Amino acid sequence: MRTTTPNTPHIRGRWRRVGSAAAATAALLVAGLGTAAHATAATATTAHKASTKAIAAQVAKAHVQYEKAGCGATPKKGFAACDALRVTGGTTAFMEKQAALKGVTPKTVKPDAASDTPTGYGPSDLQSAYGLPSAAASNGSGETVAIVDAYDDPNAEEDLATYRSYYGLSDCTTDNGCFKKVSQTGSTTSLPSADSGWAGEESLDLDMVSATCPNCNILLVEAKSASDANLGTAVNEAVKLGAKFVSNSYGGAESSSDTSYDTSYYKHAGVAITASAGDEGYGAEYPAGSRYVTAVGGTALKTSSTSRGWTESVWKTSSTEGTGSGCSAYDAKPTWQTDTTCTKRMIADVSAVADPATGVSVYDSYGSDGTGWNTYGGTSASSPIIASVYALAGTPGSSDYPAQYPYAAAGTSALNDVTSGSNGSCSTSYFCTAKSGYDGPTGWGTPEGTDAFTG
């Protein structure tokens, strides 16, 4: 939960390539429907205003600029950083997809400005990509997904309402019992001080639960600071309040204290606890390194002409930017993890979308770092997605550690095996390079329905 690379360069102002010209654009023309219902309907009657060749030329030039969220700066020892990245300019994969469906030239995100409408993937995209439309429509009622973050987001409930209303999801409010926000002590009135960086992280987390499990209740537990102890205390409070699914979108370098953090904060039988694998490329982090959590890696998610309609690869932008993975230096290997070269805990277990260039739509109105619709990436997105898939799958066995569930489905159609890409260089190939079967960056793969996430 500490910082991983003290000298990691700041990523503001760098430009990131998204597209692949004609081949990618042809796939976009074939695949998928739009995210919002009204956007989808509009495409059915929109005349093609630009040729495929013209769109392909524009996509070939497309880049994405993004920055670490305000909660992602290098923290002092004993404190955590979030794993969220906010797009500030360029053309996202969702924007390419929408342009291809409409037959128009893709627009761009204006630098450092939020948009009036979404520029990232929404609920129907994520549900389609992970085989969840049926489960999302029918499951999750009565289940509570907890989000653990630091500091207060004063606009959390209001922003959540805006997101859900835009996408046609049912209301999730304090009044109807669907949403609850508390401090790490469980108080609904004595909340931490507000922080705009963590507010963006909280909006991302809440929106990903809504997108993946729209029928779930949501519990937001706000730690009074980003210290290891306070965040861990917030995890315990989430479990105390009855959440069977807890997402943690923060992480940092391992330390010899991690095994004690395991037993103090993350060892909760019968509760599915997820943790982001990190955003700084190859290298093990904590709490993803805890044997009691499901470590969630990150992918780049794009539409394709395959029967699935989507394709994924390991998310890597540069040698210092991409999904985390690796062999823990401290945590013991859980009995269900069977790779042989890493004798201790291996990261990750499973994965989901995290590349900012193929990022997700988020609504956030608090602070100065982008008010309105934003596109976010980072493994801060993938952790709440996977926690919500667990919720769709149903309550875990009371004595189970649900991190083991995907291992029982390893190699089956219940998981999309990610076989391309790497997140860095390592002496043991599967620690950082995707392959058929298990690998560090993506684990056993991404969800295809809920079967891999139930006991």
Side-chain angles (χ1 to χ4, degrees), residues 73-359:
T74 301
K76 63 184 180 181
K77 184 178 180 180
F79 285 71
C82 69
D83 290 316
L85 302 169
R86 188 176 73 89
V87 172
T88 58
T91 304
T92 67
F94 171 78
M95 296 168 78
E96 294 172 14
K97 174 187 173 186
Q98 293 300 296
L101 288 167
K102 296 177 181 180
V104 298
T105 301
K107 296 180 180 180
T108 62
V109 176
K110 295 179 180 179
D112 299 315
S115 301
D116 294 333
T117 56
T119 55
Y121 291 138
S124 66
D125 299 300
L126 296 175
Q127 292 171 22
S128 169
Y130 297 125
L132 300 171
S134 177
S138 303
N139 301 355
S141 180
E143 304 288 7
T144 297
V145 179
I147 295 299
V148 171
D149 284 311
Y151 300 105
D152 180 39
D153 176 3
N155 297 354
E157 185 169 359
E158 179 184 14
D159 289 349
L160 177 64
T162 299
Y163 180 92
R164 294 179 71 101
S165 175
Y166 180 88
Y167 288 113
L169 306 178
S170 61
D171 291 344
C172 188
T173 66
T174 300
D175 289 344
N176 68 17
C178 174
F179 177 74
K180 186 174 185 179
K181 181 173 75 170
V182 301
S183 71
Q184 68 186 58
T185 65
S187 174
T188 59
T189 56
S190 180
L191 298 170
S193 59
D195 181 274
S196 62
W198 280 95
E201 169 67 55
E202 291 174 41
S203 290
L204 166 61
D205 294 340
L206 297 175
D207 291 353
M208 290 308 94
V209 177
S210 296
T212 311
C213 187
N215 295 324
C216 283
N217 295 331
I218 306 175
L219 171 66
L220 173 59
V221 186
E222 298 177 330
K224 66 181 180 180
S225 78
S227 74
D228 301 343
N230 285 328
L231 286 164
T233 298
V235 172
N236 288 342
E237 184 64 25
V239 177
K240 178 182 176 182
L241 292 175
K244 297 298 183 183
F245 316 93
V246 183
S247 174
N248 304 279
S249 291
Y250 53 85
E254 298 187 295
S255 80
S256 58
S257 300
D258 292 346
T259 53
S260 65
Y261 293 146
D262 278 358
T263 54
S264 296
Y265 304 128
Y266 299 102
K267 185 179 180 181
H268 293 284
V271 180
I273 301 177
T274 63
S276 302
D279 293 348
E280 297 183 347
Y282 173 64
E285 291 194 359
Y286 191 86
S290 171
R291 68 179 118 167
Y292 300 113
V293 311
T294 299
V296 187
T299 68
L301 174 69
K302 299 179 182 179
T303 52
S304 78
S305 57
T306 63
S307 58
R308 179 188 170 195
W310 301 85
T311 184
E312 290 178 275
S313 59
V314 174
W315 165 45
K316 177 187 176 184
T317 303
S318 72
S319 61
T320 58
E321 297 161 21
T323 183
S325 72
C327 181
S328 173
Y330 300 101
D331 260 83
K333 201 173 196 69
T335 56
W336 55 84
Q337 199 169 54
T338 58
D339 62 297
T340 57
T341 305
C342 174
T343 59
K344 293 189 179 295
R345 168 69 158 122
M346 187 69 195
I347 302 167
D349 298 309
V350 292
S351 51
V353 61
D355 187 347
T358 68

Side-chain angles (χ1 to χ4, degrees), residues 336-416:
W336 55 84
Q337 199 169 54
T338 58
D339 62 297
T340 57
T341 305
C342 174
T343 59
K344 293 189 179 295
R345 168 69 158 122
M346 187 69 195
I347 302 167
D349 298 309
V350 292
S351 51
V353 61
D355 187 347
T358 68
V360 296
S361 178
V362 174
Y363 190 84
D364 173 37
S365 69
Y366 183 74
S368 58
D369 54 349
T371 57
W373 289 103
N374 293 268
T375 293
Y376 271 84
T379 52
S380 279
S382 51
S383 178
I385 289 172
I386 295 299
S388 302
V389 175
Y390 272 112
L392 290 173
T395 305
S398 60
S399 61
D400 292 352
Y401 292 99
Q404 67 186 299
Y405 290 171
Y407 288 79
T412 72
S413 59
L415 292 161
N416 300 303

Side-chain angles (χ1 to χ4, degrees), residues 15-98:
W15 292 90
R16 307 297 176 203
R17 183 165 299 281
V18 177
S20 58
T25 303
L28 290 171
L29 287 166
V30 172
L33 294 176
T35 303
H38 57 273
T40 306
T43 63
T45 58
T46 300
H48 283 228
K49 301 175 184 177
S51 68
T52 301
K53 183 177 180 180
I55 297 172
Q58 182 69 20
V59 171
K61 299 176 182 177
H63 297 73
V64 164
Q65 184 184 21
Y66 60 88
E67 65 182 6
K68 286 185 178 181
C71 50
T74 301
K76 63 184 180 181
K77 184 178 180 180
F79 285 71
C82 69
D83 290 316
L85 302 169
R86 188 176 73 89
V87 172
T88 58
T91 304
T92 67
F94 171 78
M95 296 168 78
E96 294 172 14
K97 174 187 173 186
Q98 293 300 296

